[in-house]
Amino acid sequence: MPIRLTGMATGMDTETMIKQMMQAHRMPIDRMKQKQQTITWQRDAYREMNTMMAQLRDTISTLRFESTTNAKKVTTGTTAVTATATSDTTPGAYALTIHQMASAATITGNAVSSTTGPLNTAGDTVLTVNGVDITITQNSTANNVVTALNAKTSQTGVKASFDAVTQRITLTHNQTGSTSAINIAHKSGDASLLTNMNLGTASATGQQAIVDYNGVSGLTFDTNSFKIEGINFTLKPTAGATYPINVNVAVSADTDKVFDTIKSFVSKYNELIDKVQKKTSEARYRDFQPLTDDQRKEMKEDEIKQWEEKAKSGMLRNDATLKSAVDKMRTALMEPVTGLPAGSFDMLSDIGISTSKPGTQLAYKDNGKLYLDENKLREALETNPEQVSDLLTKGYADRLYKEIDTTITRLTKLAGSGTTLADNSNLSLQLRDLDRNISVKTSGLKAYEDKYYKQFASLETAIQTMNSQSAWLSQQFSSM
């Protein structure tokens, strides 16, 4: 940047004068930046609400399915088996007898002929493992053989390992049950390799799990995880176990899980209601606009913080989208569910959830906040779990989910979600337009500044010329 020497002839503080004139040109840019900051704050406030809406939607989504609202728990009283129930499982007591677990085909050999030396010195060897040809290069050690076998595991289904302590090679199929098999044979080349591996056998098969269940004997499964009458069983290895193992299976309603999920929903719903109420009623201080760069330079850090607290306030005051969302959610939770069998629960109040504190009138001042009578909810879950499930899955959960999802769609269109890079929301588009306009205006500032410097430079030249002429005339007159 060239050095500018101004005011030499005129004596004027042209730097200050140009700076003041440039301020007039910067004012529209400052206003655009202030508007940009206000929109950014507003967008962030909307996105915060959108995130809370999404979290509530995720919670209420789980209550739309019987797997949550009609959850069952299973106890077995043993470590030999774990079990989980589905919504279709009927509560009751059942008997399971485990005769054997499913296992994979396995071949564990004896000590190899050499732990570090080659096993096929006469040339390359081709082995066939489960119908797949595998070439073992000449002079391969036990580790080399294992590496070559494992390179074909995706085709053979067989995993090989070598233990240097026991000096044994082990082959294991990656499946259990009737489809698990290992067949290994020499095909060509150095026939001593298979002998030197000392596997002891050329084939092995896996075994199925065999159980009796509630009077039905000899049920077989290829894996140790299987499902019987809505119960998911997983057999577990037990050290020193003696088969058969008799297991008493008890299925009951998991009221704690359902209770906790419903309680979590009420809590998140009330958090959202409180936040919406706070944001839509927050005071708006229009005299506190976002600070310009020059204003920030003249203020202390704590002064900036206090100013911005006022400037950010009321970004969502009286917002129609949020207030409408609360009204619709309140309506969705107050109207009874239709289409249920006569005598069934058809209101949330039937299971201890209401919009007023117990013993009081409807609390409109709470803006639809929910109150939970935990004792009443537990009683409903313990005595009529199916009715509680129907009330939620066939009514309230789905209703509320749809209302929240509609609001999320509107907020995302308005301000984006903050979780995607491609944000074409209305507010983001406004910010991009302001970015472009600020860039154009800013690039024009230098042209104005250069013009003013040139004008003052011309003035300086003119004054300098006049001063020179005046001095010459004075000299002429003084010499007469």
Side-chain angles (χ1 to χ4, degrees):
M1 181 177 177
I3 298 176
R4 292 162 171 169
L5 299 176
T6 57
M8 299 294 290
T10 62
M12 296 186 298
D13 185 358
T14 56
E15 288 287 345
T16 300
M17 294 174 67
I18 292 173
K19 182 178 180 180
Q20 291 172 345
M21 288 188 291
M22 289 302 298
Q23 284 179 345
H25 293 291
R26 289 193 176 94
M27 284 178 64
I29 297 176
D30 287 340
R31 284 194 292 269
M32 284 191 289
K33 287 183 176 181
Q34 287 176 312
K35 184 177 181 180
Q36 187 181 49
Q37 182 61 76
T38 298
I39 292 175
T40 299
W41 284 338
Q42 188 178 45
R43 185 182 67 173
D44 291 344
Y46 275 123
R47 286 181 173 182
E48 181 185 8
M49 297 307 308
N50 209 359
T51 297
M52 290 190 70
M53 287 279 182
Q55 290 171 347
L56 178 60
R57 181 184 62 181
D58 291 343
T59 300
I60 199 69
S61 178
T62 63
L63 294 174
R64 299 165 68 202
F65 306 104
E66 288 190 6
S67 58
T68 299
T69 60
N70 200 15
K72 307 291 194 309
K73 62 181 178 180
V74 184
T75 57
T76 62
T78 178
T79 58
V81 59
T82 60
T84 58
T86 66
S87 59
D88 297 329
T89 308
T90 302
Y94 306 94
L96 176 74
T97 300
I98 306 170
H99 291 284
Q100 71 178 30
M101 293 182 60
S103 62
T106 301
I107 297 175
T108 299
N110 297 309
V112 297
S113 62
S114 173
T115 57
T116 59
L119 301 182
N120 57 338
T121 58
D124 292 351
T125 305
V126 178
L127 298 179
T128 300
V129 179
N130 287 356
V132 178
D133 291 345
I134 302 175
T135 300
I136 312 296
T137 58
Q138 183 179 6
N139 294 325
S140 286
T141 63
N143 282 322
N144 298 145
V145 172
V146 164
T147 299
L149 294 175
N150 287 338
K152 298 288 186 176
T153 297
S154 61
Q155 299 175 49
T156 65
V158 176
K159 178 73 174 178
S161 63
F162 174 66
D163 185 271
V165 176
T166 62
Q167 303 177 12
R168 297 187 299 182
I169 292 176
T170 299
L171 306 179
T172 305
H173 200 274
N174 56 18
Q175 295 179 351
T176 58
S178 60
T179 59
S180 179
I182 300 174
N183 291 286
I184 184 169
H186 170 262
K187 183 175 183 180
S188 63
D190 188 351
S192 66
L193 174 61
L194 204 54
T195 301
N196 293 333
M197 289 171 65
N198 205 10
L199 295 177
T201 181
S203 63
T205 58
Q207 68 178 24
Q208 293 181 302
I210 303 176
V211 301
D212 301 336
Y213 182 77
N214 236 34
V216 180
S217 302
L219 298 175
T220 59
F221 302 94
D222 280 330
T223 70
N224 289 310
S225 294
F226 48 86
K227 185 175 182 180
I228 305 176
E229 293 185 349
I231 304 177
N232 297 308
F233 292 100
T234 300
L235 306 185
K236 300 289 187 179
T238 304
T242 301
Y243 294 94
I245 299 175
N246 295 314
V247 181
N248 294 318
V249 180
V251 180
S252 59
D254 192 350
T255 55
D256 287 338
K257 179 179 179 181
V258 182
F259 177 88
D260 290 342
T261 304
I262 293 175
K263 186 176 180 179
S264 176
F265 152 68
V266 172
S267 176
K268 287 185 180 297
Y269 180 86
N270 288 340
E271 287 176 9
L272 177 64
I273 295 299
D274 286 343
K275 192 72 171 183
V276 170
Q277 171 63 15
K278 178 183 177 182
K279 288 297 183 182
T280 56
S281 60
E282 198 172 47
R284 182 80 174 100
Y285 302 96
R286 298 191 180 280
D287 292 338
F288 288 80
Q289 295 297 312
L291 296 170
T292 65
D293 293 339
D294 290 338
Q295 288 171 331
R296 283 178 173 276
K297 292 176 182 177
E298 298 174 359
M299 297 173 68
K300 296 179 181 178
E301 187 173 339
D302 60 335
E303 292 174 333
I304 293 173
K305 181 180 179 180
Q306 293 174 10
W307 182 282
E308 289 194 340
E309 286 178 356
K310 295 280 189 180
K312 290 180 179 180
S313 178
M315 290 292 105
L316 304 181
R317 181 174 177 80
N318 292 324
D319 184 78
T321 299
L322 295 176
K323 297 184 78 172
S324 174
V326 170
D327 289 341
K328 290 180 178 179
M329 286 192 292
R330 183 189 299 122
T331 300
L333 293 175
M334 290 178 64
E335 293 182 350
V337 177
T338 59
L340 298 177
S344 298
F345 297 147
D346 62 357
M347 295 284 291
L348 282 178
S349 57
D350 292 334
I351 62 173
I353 301 173
S354 62
T355 51
S356 61
K357 293 180 180 179
T360 67
Q361 297 297 315
L362 186 66
Y364 288 102
K365 63 182 180 180
D366 285 338
N367 301 288
K369 186 177 180 180
L370 297 177
Y371 292 93
L372 176 62
D373 183 336
E374 295 189 6
N375 292 331
K376 190 171 183 178
L377 175 58
R378 283 197 179 277
E379 181 182 359
L381 288 171
E382 290 170 0
T383 58
N384 294 291
E386 292 80 9
Q387 288 191 31
V388 176
S389 178
D390 288 346
L391 182 68
L392 295 171
T393 60
K394 298 177 181 179
Y396 288 111
D398 197 53
R399 264 190 215 166
L400 191 57
Y401 180 91
K402 290 176 180 177
E403 291 296 348
I404 296 172
D405 195 57
T406 297
T407 301
I408 289 174
T409 299
R410 290 173 179 168
L411 291 177
T412 301
K413 182 177 181 181
L414 176 61
S417 65
T419 59
T420 57
L421 295 177
D423 180 9
N424 291 316
S425 65
N426 294 341
L427 293 181
S428 291
L429 291 175
Q430 290 182 43
L431 289 174
R432 288 203 283 271
D433 285 342
L434 284 168
D435 269 334
R436 286 191 289 268
N437 292 335
I438 290 171
S439 179
V440 171
K441 290 284 187 182
T442 302
S443 63
L445 288 179
K446 189 175 185 308
Y448 281 112
E449 189 177 49
D450 289 343
K451 183 183 75 170
Y452 290 142
Y453 272 110
K454 287 180 181 179
Q455 288 176 341
F456 275 103
S458 297
L459 177 62
E460 289 286 332
T461 300
I463 295 298
Q464 181 65 41
T465 300
M466 292 176 61
N467 287 341
S468 297
Q469 291 176 344
S470 176
W472 181 81
L473 288 173
S474 296
Q475 184 179 12
Q476 294 302 313
F477 282 122
S478 63
S479 61
M480 292 179 61

